Every structure is written in structure tokens, then in C-alpha cells.
Amino acid sequence: MITIEPDKMGGKPCIRGLRITVYDVLDYLASGMSEAEILADFPDLTRDDLLACLAFAADRERRMLSVPA
């Protein structure tokens, strides 16, 4: 689950209210870290959390593309 709390991490989307942002996870994946490496470095995260980040990013991208020019 992705949460957005104005008083946590500057209101950036985070994973389950943790202080781990969606951006951070996506950045780790983009830099070449494997799912296993991320989960080892962040034991509070689950595979479902990583999938939630990808789904969040995909949904945000989809909404950006549907804005009329």
C-alpha cells in the first residue's frame, strides 16, 4: 500500500507509512539493484511493496498521458 502523509517525508508517496519512498525504490530498481538486493537491504519491505511501487508509477504515468494537450 502506498501512503501520502503531509508530515512524513515531505508528503512524498511512501510504502505503508514507512520512511521509504516510492521514488527511492524505483531509483534502486533503475540503478540495477535486484528485487532480492532491495529486500535484503530493507527487511521491512516485501515483494508486494515493490509491486505496489511499480503499480503506483504505472498509474501515475497513465494519468499523465491521458491529459488533453
Side-chain angles (χ1 to χ4, degrees):
M1 173 173 70
I2 304 301
T3 58
I4 300 174
E5 300 174 45
D7 59 335
K8 189 174 284 179
M9 300 300 288
K12 294 177 184 170
C14 294
I15 301 166
R16 291 185 288 113
L18 301 171
R19 294 180 124 4
I20 303 169
T21 66
V22 169
Y23 172 82
D24 289 336
V25 171
L26 295 174
D27 196 39
Y28 299 142
L29 290 168
S31 72
M33 281 183 79
S34 70
E35 179 182 305
E37 290 171 321
I38 295 169
L39 295 177
D41 284 353
F42 299 93
D44 290 335
L45 295 182
T46 67
R47 182 172 193 275
D48 286 342
D49 293 327
L50 302 185
L51 295 175
C53 289
L54 293 172
F56 182 88
D59 184 57
R60 183 174 268 188
E61 180 67 16
R62 186 174 25 261
R63 280 192 254 147
M64 287 181 64
L65 290 175
S66 65
V67 175

